[in-house]
Amino acid sequence: MHKPPGAFTDLVKRNFPPIEYGFAYGSGAFKQPGLYEHNAAAGSASGPMLDFIFVVDDPQAWHEQNLQGNRHHYSFLKWFGPRTVIKYGVVGMKAFQQDLCHWSQLYLAGRLQKPVAVLTPNPEAEAARQQNLQAALTTALLLSPKTTSLKGLFKRITSLSYLGDVRMGLAEDNRKVERIVAGSYDHFKQLYLPLLKELTLEAVGVAADAEGVQQPDTLDQKVELFSRLPGVLIAKIGSELGSSVANTSAAAAVTVLKGASAGVATELPMLPATVRKDIAAAALKLPHHRQLITSALRAVVSRSSRRQAVAGFLYAGPIRSLRYLGKKLAKAWL
């Protein structure tokens, strides 16, 4: 980490209205080996990027208050040096919890599957964060071979939210996943080793030690693990399976997907355990069950990343957006 978490917290408290929960991430918060060496000279196209997510009760009221105090919004960036780019996003607590618990957008959830610097503790937000970490671990295990190293598992987790991202391969560093894991390996262990050793995973035959992870052999154990995928993901898989699942399961999957499309205005229903296991059993009968998971991930991330790209352009304006894109391209291609 470039700076202690307290430094980020102080920066936010001095320059922004109060928040319920927040975190810092990006190359300005956690070092990514090999990222800066090419662009260390003054005036280069790219420098560290520090990103914040602020979770608030009422985003509109927060923005109104923020506008009063931050008309010249980036004047405080000198605190971190002239070559550090800082950007932030604001989200309501309800939308935050929905994404982390169901993966309706996999935008905030994706960022919180990797190490972050938490700014302000909040029990409700932390509960959603833990559920998201468990879902990321489950998904990565299902996409991994029977035996895998911890580093391989962490790379798989990191890559989940980039599958289908419209920026990958163009304006994102093609070594991004490797750099994130290499720079934050100990932080990944702090996040995921306790989860790997929980009784809930041991019950389905997952075993972990310092060398790596061993996965279950029996079909029943695999069905149980598969059934723990987040709601939107397993609903998308259920809709793809069609007549291979029971009519009640297909109907429940459609209801979840309609709710996810409606946004936070609709409370997403919880899929019953019987529906989850029905979808899991049907999927695991197919040799391409891993492809079903990656296809579902791509569908969620692609839609979300397109929306974020458009929103970023509209909010930041064309000049600032092009400058930011230039920095991203420099990281990707230099």
Side-chain angles (χ1 to χ4, degrees):
M1 192 179 294
H2 286 298
K3 292 183 181 291
F8 302 134
T9 302
D10 291 342
L11 172 67
V12 171
K13 285 183 176 179
R14 288 202 311 270
N15 292 281
F16 294 99
I19 61 176
E20 294 298 315
Y21 183 75
F23 58 92
Y25 66 101
S27 55
F30 292 86
K31 186 174 181 180
Q32 297 178 21
L35 181 59
Y36 311 116
E37 284 81 349
H38 297 294
N39 304 302
S44 63
S46 181
M49 295 187 183
L50 178 60
D51 300 74
F52 290 111
I53 293 292
F54 301 149
V55 183
V56 301
D57 282 333
D58 186 338
Q60 182 175 344
W62 189 93
H63 278 299
E64 290 173 355
Q65 186 178 353
N66 187 47
L67 183 61
Q68 295 176 7
N70 284 317
R71 291 187 180 277
H72 304 290
H73 216 123
Y74 290 92
S75 61
F76 67 92
L77 298 189
K78 294 178 182 177
W79 192 87
F80 268 84
R83 291 181 58 251
T84 298
V85 175
I86 300 181
K87 61 187 181 73
Y88 65 92
V90 181
V91 64
M93 179 64 78
K94 187 176 179 180
F96 174 84
Q97 290 173 308
Q98 178 170 296
D99 193 31
L100 265 67
C101 295
H102 298 280
W103 289 14
S104 52
Q105 302 292 330
L106 202 51
Y107 179 70
L108 301 169
R111 277 141 186 77
L112 281 164
Q113 289 162 6
K114 300 173 273 290
V116 301
V118 174
L119 304 173
T120 51
N122 179 292
E124 291 183 354
E126 282 299 322
R129 184 188 180 197
Q130 285 301 308
Q131 187 171 335
N132 177 50
L133 291 173
Q134 291 170 343
L137 179 57
T138 296
T139 307
L141 286 170
L142 288 165
L143 293 174
S144 299
K146 180 181 175 182
T147 302
T148 187
S149 66
L150 289 180
K151 183 178 180 181
L153 180 64
F154 298 156
K155 287 172 66 176
R156 184 78 66 181
I157 289 170
T158 302
S159 69
L160 295 177
S161 62
Y162 298 129
L163 288 171
D165 192 321
V166 296
R167 300 166 301 172
M168 292 304 292
L170 173 64
E172 284 289 359
D173 179 9
N174 57 11
R175 295 153 291 180
K176 189 180 186 78
V177 169
E178 180 71 35
R179 283 173 167 162
I180 288 174
V181 174
S184 301
Y185 186 76
D186 289 339
H187 295 289
F188 272 100
K189 289 202 295 185
Q190 291 170 14
L191 284 177
Y192 288 104
L193 277 182
L195 296 178
L196 279 165
K197 295 178 180 179
E198 283 187 356
L199 293 177
T200 53
L201 276 182
E202 291 180 358
V204 294
V206 175
D209 55 30
E211 301 300 319
V213 181
Q214 292 278 342
Q215 294 209 54
D217 283 321
T218 70
L219 179 60
D220 286 345
Q221 289 174 320
K222 292 177 181 178
V223 167
E224 177 60 34
L225 189 63
F226 200 106
S227 72
R228 298 180 185 183
L229 287 170
V232 169
L233 209 61
I234 199 165
K236 281 189 174 292
I237 293 170
S239 68
E240 287 294 318
L241 290 171
S243 60
S244 297
V245 299
N247 291 337
T248 53
S249 298
V254 169
T255 301
V256 168
L257 295 180
K258 284 183 177 179
S261 298
V264 294
T266 301
E267 188 75 25
L268 288 186
M270 300 294 292
L271 285 173
T274 53
V275 170
R276 287 175 164 275
K277 290 189 176 181
D278 180 37
I279 294 172
L284 287 167
K285 290 178 182 178
L286 302 175
H288 62 285
H289 61 270
R290 287 177 179 163
Q291 186 178 336
L292 289 172
I293 299 174
T294 57
S295 295
L297 284 167
R298 289 180 188 278
V300 175
V301 174
S302 176
R303 182 169 179 264
S304 175
S305 65
R306 287 197 302 269
R307 179 182 300 168
Q308 291 299 325
V310 171
F313 184 84
L314 292 175
Y315 288 134
I319 301 301
R320 186 176 293 158
S321 294
L322 288 172
R323 287 174 180 168
Y324 179 71
L325 178 61
K327 289 180 177 290
K328 284 286 190 179
L329 288 169
K331 289 169 64 178
W333 297 102
L334 295 183

